Amino acid sequence: MAKFIPLGDISSLLQRYASGEIAPTRLVEMIHAEIQNDPNHVWISVLPLESLRYYARQVEVKDMSSLPLYGIPFAIKDNIDLAELPTTAACPAYTYTPTHSAMVVQKLIKAGAIPIGKTNLDQFATGLNGTRSPYGVCRNAFNPDYISGGSSSGSAVAVAKGWVCFSLGTDTAGSGRVPAAFNNLIGYKPTKGWISTRGVVPACRSLDTVSIFAFTAADAARVLMISAGYDTEDIYSRQKEAYGFDFAAASHFRFAIPRKQHLQFFGNQESERLFTEAVRQLETLGGKAIEIDFEPFLEAARLLYEGPRVAERYAAIQSFYESQSDQIVAPVREIIAKAKCYSAADAYKGLYQLRSIKQHADEIWRDADCLVTPTAGTIYPIPAMLKEPIRLNTHLGYYTNFMNLLDYAAIAIPVGFQNDGLPFGITLAAPAHQDEPLLRLAHALQQAYCLPLGATGIAFPINNDFPELPDPNHVRIAVCGAHLSGLPLNEQLTCRQGRLVKSTTTSANYRLYALPGNPPQRPGLIRVDHHEQGVAIKVEVWELPTRELGSFVTGIPAPLSIGTLTLADGEMVKGFLCERYAIGNALDISHFGGWREYLQQIPAH
């Protein structure tokens, strides 16, 4: 059999399929052979070869265009159900064999993805380091002497090694982000409830989120489009809501970072250097760093393990704990045992405290579009973690434990390597439902860094296209006159929660006129025919909540109207156009190139 070539991103594998270089059946045969030797302790169970061939053949009889994940192999954390394979949650005594796959797994298989097997984890998804499993310590893809991160350890390493193109993890306190940072991957934690947790062994059911490991933010977005959706049988499922200002598409955005006294790297100067460089890189993309008080976030993080919230982990496996606690690994058992120290009254007090903390934490969103932190301040060798499993694990959760408690979405992004060759990553976070701007900003940052994929050595594909993620709750409006920033009618946009996305120009087939009439003087933008001479006209593109569009359009006087404009980059947006009859007595000001430039020249005429 030919030598296995580590896999890269989804687009690259689809291109190999389309060219006929390889077929899904041949690929799964090669993957199955490759992963039989697993010194990193990545896999708990793998589908039999005949089962993998069956999945591949089901894909091959269909047209590629009908399956967005045609033949794409993926891995599943072993607290997520896959029919035919046991679910262990990394506890052999807990094992059961599901008759149905988890809802998210069903959706991915229906889209053409092929499950390879179930991956190792910190037992019952309790831990951020990858050492708490009777199936062996899951080792880092770059240096096996170091931790892989957890609890979704195997899911991350399976992708980093190039055995699969993406994988599913879970993220309650950072389990879908810390392993990504330690293995040079994207680790995307969606808004809670966007992806159904039906068929997932709970850790803290009200906080659990199915997460996605991938080589690129674009791939994470592709998997999200297929896996997300409201599930009437999941009591924590949520409908998507409007994400507001698309800061990733804007020429300028604001990102919050912790004040220096709150930045913790636990003695790792390399992490500190790489974080500083990442902040500078975000500034080159148009970001402005704003230092914030990080204490409310740290206070929220402490609630997860240092208060009554830990009782939710006990509730998830109460009957098993009471009957077979001796089958639970010591650090996990020690954490869950704390639950018995708290009462129902303590739980309510904890909820009240969290509400108060969230009010303070959410104040940053008045000044910032997203939050930027290290994903983890440092990484540890395996012996050090085994020697101090609780204290060092707490260090790993310094920047992650608060996310789900505060109902934020987050994405971990690789941003470079320490001098010893180990990866480092940062995390972008924003309030719930702002996932899509986060993913797009992560994509832009990946393009800027152009790092290799995982531990495969494969170069990042510069031209990797980001999938279109339409937002039905917002509409973009191009303005060219008195609605521009700082001009008299701009308030009609800002009072409707409009946000400036970018300043650009139309394509070069428009003309601009100054219409006669009382102040404020209005522009008339006309699209010309192919036989007429046109120019590119400066415009601003604003984003407006769809619910506000009706009242905005109602106030537009004739001869102006809202039509479709083509921008210089080919994007088509709604915008102001003028009926052609009105330009007969109007002044052609196209040669100025824009309304502001015309206004600046008025005193000279």
Side-chain angles (χ1 to χ4, degrees), residues 254-299:
R254 303 156 300 174
F255 62 94
I257 59 174
R259 292 174 184 159
K260 289 183 179 179
Q261 63 265 35
H262 287 140
L263 282 171
Q264 283 284 354
F265 299 97
F266 307 101
N268 189 333
Q269 294 180 348
E270 283 293 284
S271 292
E272 186 172 6
R273 172 182 66 83
L274 289 164
F275 180 70
T276 300
E277 291 176 2
V279 169
R280 292 197 192 104
Q281 188 66 64
L282 283 165
E283 289 173 336
T284 67
L285 295 177
K288 178 182 179 181
I290 301 169
E291 290 192 354
I292 60 159
D293 180 9
F294 201 56
E295 183 55 38
F297 302 88
L298 299 177
E299 191 177 356

Side-chain angles (χ1 to χ4, degrees), residues 40-43 75-77 118-122 130 138 148-160 163-164 167-168 179 213:
N40 290 68
H41 303 295
V42 171
W43 304 95
I76 303 166
K77 184 176 180 178
K118 309 291 288 296
T119 55
N120 206 354
L121 66 150
D122 281 327
C138 188
S148 59
S151 61
S152 309
S153 51
S155 290
V157 178
V159 178
W163 294 332
V164 293
S167 65
L168 297 181
F213 293 98

Side-chain angles (χ1 to χ4, degrees), residues 498-580:
R499 296 289 297 268
L500 177 63
V501 173
K502 60 183 175 181
S503 298
T504 183
T505 68
T506 66
S507 55
N509 53 346
Y510 289 86
R511 298 200 71 81
L512 185 65
Y513 296 83
L515 302 177
N518 295 325
Q521 194 172 15
R522 298 176 184 271
L525 186 66
I526 299 290
R527 181 165 187 152
V528 299
D529 297 330
H530 65 277
H531 60 274
E532 299 177 272
Q533 184 177 0
V535 298
I537 302 297
K538 292 182 178 180
V539 296
E540 289 180 353
V541 179
W542 285 70
E543 198 169 63
L544 199 65
T546 306
R547 65 178 182 275
E548 300 285 352
L549 182 61
S551 64
F552 179 71
V553 171
T554 300
I556 298 173
L560 303 181
S561 62
I562 295 292
T564 301
L565 278 68
T566 303
L567 303 180
D569 62 1
E571 181 183 4
M572 301 181 72
V573 298
K574 299 302 176 184
F576 281 89
L577 290 173
C578 180
E579 295 186 66
R580 187 172 282 270

Side-chain angles (χ1 to χ4, degrees), residues 192-499:
K192 285 188 301 180
W194 270 23
I195 298 178
S196 172
T197 56
R198 181 155 51 107
V200 178
V201 177
C204 293
R205 193 176 179 191
S206 66
L207 300 178
D208 295 338
T209 310
V210 173
S211 66
I212 299 166
F213 293 98
F215 288 120
T216 68
D219 279 358
R222 288 185 178 90
V223 176
L224 172 69
M225 292 169 65
I226 293 157
S227 57
Y230 183 73
D231 181 1
T232 57
E233 296 184 48
D234 175 4
I235 62 172
Y236 285 104
S237 187
R238 297 159 85 177
Q239 298 277 12
K240 281 188 179 183
E241 297 179 10
Y243 57 70
F245 174 55
D246 187 354
F247 50 85
S251 55
H252 299 285
F253 63 94
R254 303 156 300 174
F255 62 94
I257 59 174
R259 292 174 184 159
K260 289 183 179 179
Q261 63 265 35
H262 287 140
L263 282 171
Q264 283 284 354
F265 299 97
F266 307 101
N268 189 333
Q269 294 180 348
E270 283 293 284
S271 292
E272 186 172 6
R273 172 182 66 83
L274 289 164
F275 180 70
T276 300
E277 291 176 2
V279 169
R280 292 197 192 104
Q281 188 66 64
L282 283 165
E283 289 173 336
T284 67
L285 295 177
K288 178 182 179 181
I290 301 169
E291 290 192 354
I292 60 159
D293 180 9
F294 201 56
E295 183 55 38
F297 302 88
L298 299 177
E299 191 177 356
R302 288 191 286 269
L303 291 180
L304 194 63
Y305 289 109
E306 299 177 20
R309 196 83 197 204
V310 74
E312 192 169 13
R313 289 190 182 268
Y314 170 67
I317 58 168
Q318 182 176 0
S319 60
F320 180 81
Y321 181 91
E322 292 300 333
S323 62
Q324 299 186 67
S325 62
D326 61 321
Q327 298 299 308
I328 301 175
V329 297
V332 176
R333 186 171 63 247
E334 181 181 337
I335 290 166
I336 295 175
K338 296 178 182 178
K340 295 190 175 184
C341 300
Y342 297 102
S343 67
D346 292 328
Y348 276 105
K349 290 176 183 177
L351 290 174
Y352 304 150
Q353 185 181 5
L354 178 60
R355 293 283 292 193
S356 175
I357 293 170
K358 181 170 170 57
Q359 280 189 323
H360 292 296
D362 284 351
E363 289 177 4
I364 73 161
W365 307 124
R366 293 191 301 219
D367 301 313
D369 300 306
C370 62
L371 170 68
V372 179
T373 69
T375 300
T378 191
I379 184 173
Y380 295 108
I382 291 170
M385 179 59 65
L386 294 174
K387 184 177 179 180
E388 297 186 84
I390 302 298
R391 186 176 74 88
L392 299 191
N393 192 86
T394 300
H395 291 176
L396 299 181
Y398 185 85
Y399 298 107
T400 64
N401 284 350
F402 59 82
M403 284 298 178
N404 282 356
L405 287 167
L406 297 177
D407 199 15
Y408 298 159
I411 182 167
I413 310 155
V415 293
F417 296 90
Q418 301 177 168
N419 287 333
D420 61 7
L422 288 166
F424 175 79
I426 64 169
T427 289
L428 309 179
H433 304 291
Q434 295 190 17
D435 302 53
E436 293 169 18
L438 281 179
L439 285 162
R440 278 192 283 264
L441 183 55
H443 175 69
L445 191 60
Q446 274 198 292
Q447 298 286 14
Y449 271 98
C450 192
L451 295 172
L453 302 177
T456 66
I458 299 172
F460 181 77
I462 296 295
N463 296 319
N464 186 30
D465 293 328
F466 193 86
E468 182 64 29
L469 298 172
D471 177 18
N473 301 296
H474 284 76
V475 62
R476 290 186 177 183
I477 300 287
V479 299
C480 60
H483 287 90
L484 293 167
S485 301
L487 296 188
L489 299 183
N490 182 248
E491 185 183 7
Q492 293 183 4
L493 292 168
T494 57
C495 75
R496 291 177 169 84
Q497 299 178 306
R499 296 289 297 268

Side-chain angles (χ1 to χ4, degrees), residues 23-41:
T25 297
R26 181 58 180 266
L27 180 64
V28 297
E29 290 172 347
M30 295 175 71
I31 294 172
H32 188 269
E34 181 71 16
I35 63 180
Q36 296 308 304
N37 178 27
D38 181 19
N40 290 68
H41 303 295

